[in-house]
């Protein structure tokens, strides 16, 4: 069982969580619990580290100390939940990342879990006790504290479920499942009873914020069934059809072509004009961006009809836009373009579904729905189970609603 920040925001809610844990034990399950920090806590801690300022020239960067500070939020909630459980008569014991241990690489701030030694947790569960783990944190082989990136407690939970070979990983959060799209934009959005790992992975990386992307990758790799459900259910009420199950495609009976519409406003479009139309130009552009650690998403290139030049547009994360522009300007004479522009008044809207593999006309439905609403498409990209379009930001909500209806998602 994993509980997010809003579910452990104060002692009253932590007591609620404890009742949910106790109810699960009464059903005969051994339970390991992973907790996030109280809502808002991690942001506050990050702000403290910003205030401390960077290391002076010649000294190593303080990323490892950033982790020491921001990991502390989960220490508080893990200890408090164990205390509240004991107060209710349920023996529980907390574990920090280094105590378990949850071993990670040394990428402070965005560490990846490499190994979990489950022995202490298994001993705790075997003794009939609840193991309460601080999410989001781990330890390097050298004994330094790490954190797994924002939203990383989801990944802690899935990794621990996999290491314990749990029958399921229940992610309790402030929404009651995974929806066909954001219900704040489309009131007809429906909760999906089931979604495949692959679809969830696309949805998470395309901007649906329910689960950290890495947690879905892990669940898929280890075939760990994950359930997303609201922590505001009454204890004892979480039945097997509550929430959304993230599972293997084969375990989904109902066949849909499209499962969801996702969108992201965190994009920016970079356009290069007057590129030489010769081999090696793209390689120059994208190796410079890669060296600068800028992730590129969508790409289009077109050749000018009247000259020997080409134009290229690509998208980057909005936070990287400034850096991408600098990198391009620095490479202007080497790459050989005449002009570069940047546009962050854009949004990416995507439809996701494993049914696309076997059905024709899925893209056409999307393009027609957008055309009918007068939405202009700037860039298109596709994968086997996803079609994304880049549009003017002002049309995001209109596009999401039009697509939700076009694929019949309001009638699921
Ligand atoms: N508390 C951390 C964060 O806010 C980890 C998590 O909640 O998943 O990012
Ligand atoms: Mg989260």
């Amino acid at each position: 069982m994993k509980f997010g920040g809003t579910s452990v925001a104060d002692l009253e809610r932590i007591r609620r969580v404890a009742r949910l844990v106790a109810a699960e034990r009464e059903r005969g399950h051994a339970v390991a619990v992973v907790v996030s920090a109280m809502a808002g806590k991690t942001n506050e801690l990050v702000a403290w580290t910003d205030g401390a300022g960077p290391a002076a020239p010649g000294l190593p960067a303080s990323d490892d100390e950033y982790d020491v500070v921001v990991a502390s939020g989960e220490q508080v909630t893990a200890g408090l939940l164990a205390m509240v459980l004991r107060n209710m008569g349920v023996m529980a014991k907390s574990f920090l990342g280094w105590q378990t241990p949850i071993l990670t690489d040394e990428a402070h701030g965005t560490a990846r879990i490499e190994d979990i030694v489950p022995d202490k947790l298994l001993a705790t569960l075997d003794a009939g006790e609840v193991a309460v783990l601080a999410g989001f944190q781990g330890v390097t082989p050298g004994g330094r504290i790490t954190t797994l990136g924002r939203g990383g407690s989801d990944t802690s939970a899935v990794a621990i479920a996999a290491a314990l070979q749990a029958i399921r990983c229940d992610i309790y959060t402030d929404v009651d499942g995974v929806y066909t799209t954001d219900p704040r934009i489309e009131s007809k959005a429906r909760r999906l009873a089931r979604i495949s790992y692959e679809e969830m992975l696309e949805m998470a990386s395309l901007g649906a914020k329910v689960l950290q992307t890495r947690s879905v990758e892990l669940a898929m790799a280890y075939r760990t069934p994950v359930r997303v459900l609201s922590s505001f259910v009454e204890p004892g009420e979480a039945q097997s059809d509550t929430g959304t199950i993230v599972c293997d495609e084969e375990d989904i009976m109902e066949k849909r072509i499209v499962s969801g519409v996702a969108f992201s406003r965190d994009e920016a479009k970079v356009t290069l004009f007057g590129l030489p139309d010769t081999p090696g130009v793209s390689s120059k552009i994208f190796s410079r961006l890669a060296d600068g650690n800028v992730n590129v998403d969508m790409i289009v290139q077109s050749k000018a009809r009247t000259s020997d030049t080409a134009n290229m547009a690509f998208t980057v994360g909005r936070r990287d836009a400034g850096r991408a522009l600098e990198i391009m300007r620095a490479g202007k004479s080497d790459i050989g373009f005449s002009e570069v522009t940047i546009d962050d008044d854009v949004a990416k809207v995507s439809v996701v579904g494993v049914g696309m593999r076997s059905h024709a006309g899925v893209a056409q439905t999307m393009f027609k729905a957008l055309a009918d609403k007068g939405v202009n498409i700037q860039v298109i990209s596709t994968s086997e189970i996803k079609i994304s379009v880049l549009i003017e930001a002002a049309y995001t909500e209109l596009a999401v609603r039009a697509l939700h209806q076009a694929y019949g998602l309001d009638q699921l």
Side-chain angles (χ1 to χ4, degrees):
M1 303 173 80
K2 182 259 169 176
F3 294 91
T6 46
S7 314
V8 293
D10 54 36
L11 264 177
E12 196 188 318
R13 292 196 183 170
I14 292 176
R15 286 211 173 81
R16 241 197 113 71
V17 164
R19 287 197 293 274
L20 290 167
V21 172
E24 204 61 62
R25 282 180 87 242
E26 273 154 34
R27 289 203 188 101
H29 293 139
V31 185
V33 189
V34 175
V35 287
S36 290
M38 292 182 184
K41 195 67 201 176
T42 309
N43 290 342
E44 188 189 317
L45 294 167
V46 170
W48 283 110
T49 66
D50 286 340
L59 293 183
S62 303
D63 300 350
D64 52 341
E65 302 302 344
Y66 163 95
D67 280 347
V68 171
V69 177
V70 300
S72 67
E74 276 74 9
Q75 174 162 353
V76 174
T77 46
L80 284 175
L81 178 58
M83 289 178 80
V84 168
L85 280 163
R86 287 191 201 179
N87 177 256
M88 286 171 45
V90 176
M91 182 53 196
K93 199 187 280 172
S94 68
F95 293 89
L96 301 181
W98 63 270
Q99 290 175 305
T100 303
I102 295 176
L103 293 163
T104 72
D105 62 17
E106 291 177 354
H108 286 284
T110 53
R112 273 179 183 274
I113 298 179
E114 294 197 321
D115 195 20
I116 294 181
V117 185
D119 304 15
K120 283 185 204 153
L121 301 180
L122 287 170
T124 303
L125 300 183
D126 282 346
E129 301 170 2
V130 175
V132 183
L133 294 104
F136 184 46
Q137 53 178 265
V139 65
T140 67
R144 303 292 291 165
I145 306 277
T146 51
T147 61
L148 309 181
R150 297 307 305 272
S153 293
D154 294 335
T155 300
S156 309
V158 173
I160 286 155
L164 294 174
Q165 297 181 304
I167 52 173
R168 212 176 52 231
C169 178
D170 281 349
I171 309 254
Y172 286 82
T173 176
D174 49 3
V175 292
D176 64 353
V178 179
Y179 277 70
T180 49
T181 195
D182 187 338
R184 283 170 300 188
I185 289 203
E186 173 52 275
S187 58
K188 294 189 197 116
R190 296 293 176 96
R191 176 171 60 85
L192 294 162
R194 284 172 176 254
I195 186 170
S196 69
Y197 293 120
E198 279 176 288
E199 289 169 322
M200 191 65 235
L201 195 56
E202 290 280 12
M203 298 275 275
S205 47
L206 290 169
K209 297 209 168 56
V210 210
L211 290 174
Q212 199 199 31
T213 307
R214 272 189 199 171
S215 72
V216 188
E217 282 168 4
L218 263 187
M220 186 155 108
Y222 289 93
R223 293 308 203 245
T224 306
V226 171
R227 179 165 64 144
V228 178
L229 72 170
S230 166
S231 64
F232 299 99
V233 293
E234 285 309 314
E237 239 184 29
Q239 304 302 333
S240 52
D241 62 347
T242 309
T244 299
I245 308 244
V246 189
C247 60
D248 258 329
E249 201 179 318
E250 290 78 59
D251 298 330
I252 304 178
M253 288 309 194
E254 176 196 5
K255 296 292 174 222
R256 329 168 269 259
I257 296 172
V258 163
S259 296
V261 181
F263 61 91
S264 154
R265 296 187 176 101
D266 301 328
E267 319 284 320
K269 183 179 69 169
V270 181
T271 311
L272 302 172
F273 297 94
L275 284 163
D277 190 23
T278 51
V281 173
S282 300
S283 167
K284 276 186 191 164
I285 296 170
F286 295 109
S287 61
R288 280 172 181 272
L289 291 164
D291 290 344
N293 242 325
V294 174
N295 244 329
V296 174
D297 179 22
M298 312 168 95
I299 305 172
V300 280
Q301 183 178 222
S302 59
K303 191 168 156 30
R305 197 159 57 97
T306 49
S307 68
D308 256 351
T309 63
N311 299 333
M312 181 183 285
F314 57 87
T315 63
V316 298
R318 191 168 290 196
R319 273 177 312 146
D320 290 341
R323 199 143 37 97
L325 190 61
E326 258 171 50
I327 293 172
M328 287 300 102
R329 284 194 178 134
K332 186 173 179 194
S333 56
D334 177 38
I335 302 167
F337 59 86
S338 57
E339 194 192 342
V340 54
T341 62
I342 197 141
D343 177 6
D344 62 8
D345 193 22
V346 290
K348 180 172 67 170
V349 178
S350 314
V351 297
V352 174
V354 289
M356 282 181 207
R357 288 199 200 106
S358 47
H359 284 81
V362 181
Q364 169 53 15
T365 303
M366 180 175 204
F367 303 150
K368 177 159 194 316
L370 295 175
D372 288 348
K373 296 287 179 196
V375 179
N376 191 37
I377 301 172
Q378 303 180 14
V379 186
I380 302 170
S381 72
T382 64
S383 79
E384 213 187 0
I385 64 161
K386 165 203 91 177
I387 308 163
S388 298
V389 295
L390 196 74
I391 62 172
E392 193 183 324
Y395 290 103
T396 312
E397 309 197 349
L398 181 66
V400 167
R401 290 195 200 108
L403 295 172
H404 196 265
Q405 190 184 6
Y407 291 104
L409 292 173
D410 33 10
Q411 279 146 35
L412 276 185

